[in-house]
Amino acid sequence: MDRGHSWGHFREAQLTATSAATPSVAVPAQQSSARHRPRVTIGTDGSTWGDAALEWALRHAWLVNAGLKVYSAKTSDDHAIARRLDVYRWLHASVTTSDETPEHTLLTASADTDLLVLGHHGHGHHNLGVGHLVLPVVSRSLCDTVVVRGEPRAVRAEHGWVTAAIGGQHDEPIIRRATEIATRYRDGLRIVHAWPLPGPRAVEAGKPNEVLDRARRLVAKLAPTLTPSLHLVRSRPHEAVETCTRSDLLVMGPGSQAGRLSPITRTALHLSPCPVLVVRP
């Protein structure tokens, strides 16, 4: 989805249902009302990646028992959205629009949701980078943001691995989020720490094995039955992004400067072979 697209007029449709055929998956109303139901917001413009982001958000909401809010652009196919929602008909979902720009709409929505989802580009953007909307939304979002991109098997979550990229000041929230998702998805957890190759410009920032060992201990505390696969990658951090193959999701932090994404995060949004979740600490 690119900045230039306006959100079209879409009929407000509250779609709430519970499938009696899957009681082991759906949480009864009396239980869900007793605790916070996670909220997922997706913005779609009907493009190939907008549709992929919608499918990703639907599957994620189903797995974590979240409520879903869909913001649809005028370029979206209303009937296609309805067909996708019908597959997940037990979800508490709504489809709506806004007269504001997509960027304003999604950033406003980020203040009242747990996860924001968007495709890495939409209509009118045909190169290998990201759309004009992505970097402003990810850098200023008030919640975690997933940018759906990568090769088809990763987008469809067929690899069975969640990868956490650590080595900075936000390691703990990154590990917590990655562990939570791997547990709910019943996936394996891979933790990657990039350690620069020796050279005149290399910066020593502590022992790499200590970083991985702290991560292992935190995972053991959060999910005792989950044993993470630990990887020390001998490369520059931004180069390590391209090594995260055979993953369904790459979890990382935004960087140390508020409102400004780090070079490694920007690289991931442009080059990652799988969807990228940027954690909002």
Side-chain angles (χ1 to χ4, degrees):
M1 295 179 301
D2 295 324
R3 187 196 304 269
H5 293 306
S6 61
W7 297 97
H9 295 288
F10 191 93
R11 179 176 55 86
E12 181 83 16
Q14 293 296 330
L15 304 174
T16 303
T18 301
S19 173
T22 57
S24 62
V25 176
V27 176
Q30 63 268 27
Q31 292 183 19
S32 61
S33 62
R35 68 180 189 222
H36 168 70
R37 177 187 291 275
R39 297 158 296 178
V40 176
T41 298
I42 161 71
T44 181
D45 63 354
S47 65
T48 298
W49 284 105
D51 288 345
L54 176 59
E55 188 64 33
W56 193 98
L58 283 164
R59 183 174 60 248
H60 178 80
W62 178 74
L63 287 169
V64 303
N65 189 35
L68 181 69
K69 188 163 190 175
V70 181
Y71 282 101
S72 170
K74 66 180 180 182
T75 51
S76 298
D77 183 338
D78 300 356
H79 298 292
I81 292 176
R83 286 194 298 271
R84 282 188 166 88
L85 289 177
D86 189 59
V87 175
Y88 298 88
R89 62 177 60 92
W90 71 268
L91 282 176
H92 293 255
S94 67
V95 183
T96 189
T97 188
S98 170
D99 292 328
E100 302 290 345
T101 65
E103 181 180 334
H104 183 274
T105 297
L106 295 179
L107 287 175
T108 300
S110 73
D112 192 37
T113 192
D114 299 297
L115 182 67
L116 195 62
V117 182
L118 65 159
H120 79 102
H121 68 70
H123 291 296
H125 189 94
H126 304 292
N127 61 33
L128 297 178
V130 295
H132 299 299
L133 179 68
V134 173
L135 296 181
V137 169
V138 176
S139 62
R140 296 165 56 198
S141 174
L142 300 176
C143 66
D144 291 355
T145 307
V146 167
V147 176
V148 177
R149 59 158 299 116
E151 52 96 10
R153 288 195 63 194
V155 174
R156 295 193 299 265
E158 295 178 358
H159 293 299
W161 285 93
V162 172
T163 296
I166 64 171
Q169 69 182 76
H170 300 133
D171 284 359
E172 182 170 338
I174 291 170
I175 294 167
R176 286 182 179 276
R177 194 74 172 98
T179 300
E180 175 191 355
I181 293 175
T183 301
R184 296 302 294 266
Y185 282 22
R186 297 184 180 179
D187 280 353
L189 175 61
R190 181 184 294 119
I191 298 178
V192 175
H193 176 38
W195 187 247
L197 294 168
R201 300 181 64 182
V203 178
E204 295 295 323
K207 297 180 180 179
N209 289 333
E210 292 179 356
V211 174
L212 290 172
D213 193 52
R214 285 196 300 270
R216 179 190 58 77
R217 292 197 300 269
L218 179 56
V219 173
K221 179 180 178 181
L222 296 171
T225 61
L226 179 62
T227 302
S229 177
L230 306 178
H231 297 264
L232 180 64
V233 180
R234 295 292 286 172
S235 69
R236 294 182 177 88
H238 68 275
E239 294 172 336
V241 169
E242 299 182 51
T243 70
C244 297
T245 56
R246 296 183 298 279
S247 289
D248 296 326
L249 186 66
L250 173 60
V251 184
M252 59 196 319
S256 58
Q257 293 182 286
R260 184 179 179 85
L261 299 176
S262 69
I264 184 174
T265 302
R266 294 171 66 94
T267 299
L269 294 176
H270 281 83
L271 299 177
S272 173
C274 65
V276 179
L277 188 159
V278 180
V279 174
R280 182 58 53 189

